[in-house]
Amino acid sequence: MPADTTIDTALDEALALHQAGSLAEAEGRYRALLSLAPELSQARHLLGVLRHQTGDTSGGARLIKAAILQSPDEPVYHGNLSTLLIALADPLAEAVAARSLVLAPGYADGLINRATARLHRGAIHEAVDDFRVLIRQSPGDMALYDRLANALDAAGDFRGALSWRRRLACAVPDSSQCEADLASSLMMSGDAGGARRHLVRGNTLAPSAAILFRAAHIQNRVPTDADEIAAGRQRLFDFLDRAETENPEVANPAREIGVTNFNFTYHDVNNRDLARRIGAFHLQAAPDLAWTAPHCRRRPSPGKRIRVAIVSVFLGSHTIGKLFGAVLARLPRDRFEVVAGSHAKPGDAAWVAHMRGADAQVVLSHDLAEARRQLATIEADILLYLDIGMDPFTYFLAFSRLAPVQAVCVGHPDTTGIPTIDYFLTSRGSEPADWREHYTERAVLLDEFPFFYNRPRPVGDLPGREDLGLPEKATVYTCPQTLFKMHPDHDDVFLEILRRDPKGVLMLIKSAQPLETERIRARLNRAGPDVADRVHFQPRMNGFEYLGFVGAADLLVETFGFAGGNSTYEALSTGTPILAYAGKHMRSRVTMDLLTMIGLGDCVATSREEFITSAVELANDTERRRETRRHVPEASPMLFERQSAVDELADFLDRAVDAARAGAWLEAGPSSHQ
C-alpha cells in the first residue's frame, strides 16, 4: 500500500476491487491492511466474505467471527456470518441471525437468514411465517416470492407454492428459472404434463441440457394407465440415446437437475439398465461429480477400529430413521468407530437421538462440494448410505468416492446405477431367482434385512371403526400404502376381491396431492364400475389414528409392485393380518420375507388368483384372523429389535474392509457363503 494512502482510502479501493470481481487482488489488499491495522474489523469481515465467495466458507466464517469479537454490535457482520453458517449447516446460524435483528430490528438480510435457518432445522411453518412477513415489508422483492414458495414446498403446500411461483412468473415473464421452478411445484402437486410444458418453454428461453433431461425424466407418481408409464420410460431412453452422441454439459447437476430415479422404482420393471444409463449421463455431463477424497487413493490401514460413516438425510422420524436409526448405537464399539452424517434437524427428537448414537456427528452442508469436503475429512474406511434414490442430495453425493469402500442399504429398494457404490445390502429371503440381473452394485444377500425396528409402544386405546368413520359391519380390506405404489396393472386384483366379497370395502388413504387421489379414483371407476363405489379414501391421519385405522381392518392387502416396510412393522404391531405378494423384484417381496421370518408364510400369495382367493378367505375366516392376532405378539422377538441383524451388518462391514485392505472385493451373493 502506498505510504500516502490513508487506511480508509485503501479500504475503499480494496472494496471496489472486491465488488468488481477482482478477488485475488482484493484479498491481497485486505491482508495488507490487516498487517498494518489488525484492529480493522471491516477488512477482516470483508476478507471473510471474500473467502466464502472463493469456496473457503469455513475460513470465511472464522474471519467474520474474529471481526465480531472486535466489533460486536455490527448487525451486518452477524448477518453475513449467519449466511456462511447456513452454508455450513451450523445450528448456530439461526441464533446469529436473531442477534443481527436485536442489533437492527427489521434488518432484511437478518430476517431472511433466520427464516432460512429455521427451514433447514425443520421449523418449516415458522420459516413460512417469516417469509410472509418479509413480503409484506417488501412486496416488490421478487426473490422473496421464490423463497416463500420453497418453504411452502417443504411444508407440503404445493398449491400454495404454485400460487407464489405463478405470481413470480407474471412479474418476470421470460425467465427460464421461473419456468423450471413452476415445473417443480407442478410435479410435486401431481401434474407431470403441466410441469413438462413449463420445462419445454424454459428450454426455448435458455437452452439447457439439464432442463431437457428433466423434461424427459419427469413422470407422474400416480399414472393414468400402464401406457403412460411405457411412454414416459421411452421418452427418457430416447433422450439418453441422443445424449450419448451430443455430449451435453451440466455445470451443477445437483442444483440444475435435482431429481432422482424415485418414480421409476414403482413401475414394476427391472431398472438396472435405466439406472446405469442415467448415472452415465450425469458423469458425462458433469465429470466433476466423480470427486475423490485424497485418503481413498490408499488402502484402509490394518490394526485399528474400522471407521464407518453412515449417511442419510432421513435419520429422524422418517421410515429410514425407524428402520436404521438405532443401528448406529448398536454396532460393536470394540470393532467400529461410527460417524453419522445428515442434514441438521435439531427440532426432531428422533434425529437428535439417532445422531447421538454415533461416536461423532457431521451436520452436512446443503452445498454438495462443502459436504464432500466434510465427509472427506473423516477419512472413513467404509461409507454406508442408508438410502439412495429418495433425495437428490445424497444421490448426487454418492457419485463421489468418499471412502475406499462404499455401500448402500435397502432404505430405497432399487439399484442406484452409480459406479462408486460398491455393494448393495439386501436380504436373501426377499430376492427372486434372477437377482443378479437387478443390480449395478455387488449385491450382498444378508440372512435378514439390517433393520433394528423398535416395537411401537402402546399409548392408550387405539381409535376404532366408529372413531375413524369406518363401516361397522363390512369386511374391511385396507391398503395403507401411498397411492403411487398402486400399479395400474394390478387395479383389477383389488376390484375382483370386492366382487367376490359382497360385504367387502377397500380402504385407501388419500394422497396429500388431490390430483393423485382423483387419478386413482378414475382408474378404479374405469376398471370396475360395478364395485368402485365400495372403494373409500380415508383422510390423512396422524400416527395414532393410523395405527387405529390399520388395527380396525379385517385384512391388510399389500400392493404388488412395491411392498411395505415401516407400514408392515406398524401393522404387525397391531396384530392385523397381512396378505403379501411374492413379486418380481426385491422391493415387492419385503413383507413376504418378514412374514416368513415370523412363521406366517401362509399369508403370502404367488399368483394373482391365489391373492384374490386368499384375501377373501382370510378376511372372512374369523378364527384364522384371531389366531394370527395371537401369533404376532408371540413372534415379536423374531421381528422387532433384532440385534442379530446388526451383528450381521457388522460382519459385512468387517469383511468388506478386510477385502479392501487386501486390494480385493467381496463376491456378490449370499453373505453366509462368503
Side-chain angles (χ1 to χ4, degrees):
M1 184 175 70
D4 59 348
T5 302
T6 67
I7 293 293
D8 287 345
T9 302
L11 184 61
D12 288 342
E13 290 174 353
L15 179 58
L17 289 166
H18 189 166
Q19 292 172 332
S22 301
L23 300 186
E25 191 174 353
E27 180 170 353
R29 297 286 189 95
Y30 289 141
R31 293 192 182 280
L33 275 164
L34 289 169
S35 67
L36 291 172
E39 75 283 357
L40 194 61
S41 66
Q42 302 101 310
R44 186 164 277 108
H45 162 250
L46 290 168
L47 180 58
V49 173
L50 185 149
R51 292 307 307 158
H52 167 61
Q53 291 170 324
T54 56
D56 181 14
T57 301
S58 297
R62 286 193 296 271
L63 285 161
I64 299 178
K65 287 176 183 177
I68 289 174
L69 287 175
Q70 293 177 299
S71 302
D73 296 330
E74 289 288 343
V76 174
Y77 293 8
H78 289 82
N80 283 336
L81 176 58
S82 64
T83 298
L84 272 62
L85 294 178
I86 287 168
L88 293 169
D90 190 315
L92 289 175
E94 184 178 345
V96 173
R99 176 62 183 165
S100 75
L101 293 171
V102 171
L103 296 169
Y107 173 43
D109 285 347
L111 283 166
I112 290 170
N113 284 347
R114 186 180 69 177
T116 303
R118 285 175 166 176
L119 190 62
H120 285 181
R121 76 167 167 88
I124 297 170
H125 296 290
E126 292 177 30
V128 167
D129 291 342
D130 279 349
F131 286 125
R132 290 191 189 279
V133 169
L134 280 160
I135 288 173
R136 285 197 294 271
Q137 291 178 354
S138 304
D141 188 344
M142 297 296 107
L144 293 174
Y145 289 24
D146 181 60
R147 289 177 181 270
L148 175 57
N150 289 336
L152 289 167
D153 276 339
D157 183 4
F158 304 126
R159 284 183 167 182
L162 194 56
S163 172
W164 283 100
R165 295 204 190 283
R166 283 178 169 146
R167 294 188 203 189
L168 183 57
C170 289
V172 190
D174 292 320
S175 165
S176 175
Q177 186 60 52
C178 284
E179 297 294 333
D181 290 340
L182 269 169
S184 294
S185 288
L186 282 164
M187 179 62 207
M188 287 188 282
S189 65
D191 183 5
R196 194 175 304 111
R197 288 191 293 274
H198 281 282
L199 288 170
V200 170
R201 172 168 160 70
N203 189 65
T204 63
L205 295 169
S208 160
I211 290 179
L212 288 175
F213 174 82
R214 287 182 60 193
H217 185 278
I218 206 164
Q219 308 274 324
N220 276 319
R221 294 195 311 172
V222 175
T224 302
D225 52 34
D227 289 342
E228 181 185 328
I229 292 175
R233 293 177 71 90
Q234 188 59 52
R235 182 172 56 249
L236 181 54
F237 275 116
D238 291 344
F239 171 85
L240 294 170
D241 287 342
R242 294 192 302 272
E244 287 177 0
T245 59
E246 294 173 0
N247 297 316
E249 295 181 2
V250 178
N252 188 334
R255 184 177 68 242
E256 297 175 50
I257 292 176
V259 295
T260 73
N261 305 333
F262 179 83
N263 290 341
F264 299 103
T265 302
Y266 301 94
H267 292 171
D268 202 23
V269 295
N270 186 343
N271 286 317
R272 183 185 65 175
D273 293 339
L274 178 59
R276 178 187 285 133
R277 290 191 65 185
I278 291 172
F281 164 77
H282 290 317
L283 287 170
Q284 174 191 13
D288 288 348
L289 281 175
W291 187 83
T292 298
H295 79 285
C296 295
R297 297 187 174 93
R298 59 181 186 269
R299 294 179 186 175
S301 302
K304 62 182 181 63
R305 286 194 302 167
I306 291 172
R307 183 174 295 161
V308 52
I310 298 180
V311 174
S312 174
V313 301
F314 299 114
L315 258 178
S317 51
H318 181 277
T319 292
I320 297 302
K322 293 176 182 178
L323 294 174
F324 297 105
V327 171
L328 280 71
R330 292 180 172 275
L331 285 168
R333 291 312 198 263
D334 60 327
R335 295 155 62 190
F336 300 100
E337 177 188 358
V338 179
V339 183
S342 184
H343 289 330
K345 295 181 182 175
D348 183 337
W351 180 86
V352 173
H354 296 151
M355 292 289 280
R356 286 177 177 169
D359 299 300
Q361 300 79 29
V362 177
V363 177
L364 295 174
S365 168
H366 288 263
D367 177 75
L368 190 66
E370 180 64 26
R372 289 190 301 210
R373 286 192 289 270
Q374 288 176 287
L375 290 171
T377 61
I378 294 170
E379 297 196 358
D381 299 306
I382 184 167
L383 191 156
L384 179 65
Y385 290 97
L386 299 180
D387 57 281
I388 295 176
M390 290 189 290
D391 184 83
F393 184 83
T394 45
Y395 175 74
F396 287 104
L397 183 66
F399 282 89
S400 300
R401 173 63 67 178
L402 301 172
V405 184
Q406 301 192 143
V408 61
C409 270
V410 68
H412 185 61
D414 203 356
T415 189
T416 67
I418 299 175
T420 47
I421 301 301
D422 307 308
Y423 299 104
F424 191 108
L425 303 184
T426 175
S427 152
R428 181 174 52 165
S430 68
E431 288 292 343
D434 64 343
W435 61 268
R436 291 182 184 275
E437 304 302 316
H438 295 196
Y439 297 98
T440 61
E441 309 83 0
R442 297 169 185 85
V444 175
L445 279 57
L446 304 172
D447 289 338
E448 55 185 301
F449 285 116
F451 304 153
F452 190 94
Y453 197 98
N454 290 308
R455 181 179 176 84
R457 305 299 180 216
V459 291
D461 293 335
L462 293 174
R465 289 193 180 186
E466 183 178 359
D467 303 310
L468 296 166
L470 303 182
E472 287 287 341
K473 300 192 180 297
T475 307
V476 175
Y477 302 86
T478 182
C479 182
Q481 304 295 343
T482 46
L483 293 183
F484 51 76
K485 291 185 180 181
M486 295 189 67
H487 194 288
D489 280 351
H490 308 308
D491 289 348
D492 61 319
V493 173
F494 299 105
L495 296 167
E496 185 59 28
I497 290 171
L498 297 182
R499 290 191 183 98
R500 299 193 193 180
D501 185 352
K503 298 186 302 177
V505 297
L506 174 63
M507 301 299 303
L508 305 176
I509 299 176
K510 289 182 178 179
S511 169
Q513 312 318 320
L515 275 176
E516 294 183 340
T517 302
E518 292 312 309
R519 205 171 284 135
I520 289 284
R521 198 191 304 273
R523 270 175 27 191
L524 296 173
N525 283 335
R526 285 197 305 272
D530 54 322
V531 292
D533 62 334
R534 287 193 275 134
V535 179
H536 303 298
F537 291 83
Q538 187 76 0
R540 298 176 68 79
M541 298 161 280
N542 62 35
F544 184 64
E545 292 168 333
Y546 174 83
L547 287 176
F549 172 73
V550 172
D554 292 299
L555 180 67
L556 189 154
V557 284
E558 279 276 85
T559 46
F560 274 40
F562 197 110
N566 176 56
S567 61
T568 301
Y569 281 99
E570 289 177 328
L572 288 172
S573 75
T574 71
T576 297
I578 303 175
L579 181 62
Y581 182 71
K584 298 182 292 184
H585 313 98
M586 173 269 290
R587 56 187 175 271
S588 59
R589 299 160 67 94
V590 175
T591 300
M592 175 197 76
D593 190 28
L594 295 176
L595 291 176
T596 302
M597 184 172 69
I598 63 172
L600 290 175
D602 60 339
C603 291
V604 178
T606 58
S607 70
R608 294 160 69 95
E609 178 58 30
E610 183 185 3
F611 190 91
I612 295 166
T613 302
S614 297
V616 175
E617 290 178 355
L618 183 55
N620 287 279
D621 187 336
T622 305
E623 183 53 39
R624 187 177 172 193
R625 282 189 288 108
R626 284 194 189 123
E627 179 59 32
T628 300
R629 288 184 183 272
R630 285 195 297 267
H631 175 81
V632 172
E634 296 170 1
S636 289
M638 294 188 290
L639 182 68
F640 298 102
E641 300 167 10
R642 290 178 62 87
Q643 183 60 35
S644 59
V646 181
D647 293 341
E648 189 179 14
L649 173 62
D651 289 341
F652 161 76
L653 297 172
D654 254 338
R655 289 184 292 103
V657 173
D658 280 347
R661 286 168 175 164
W665 300 101
L666 300 178
E667 294 294 327
S671 176
S672 56
H673 295 173
Q674 293 173 347

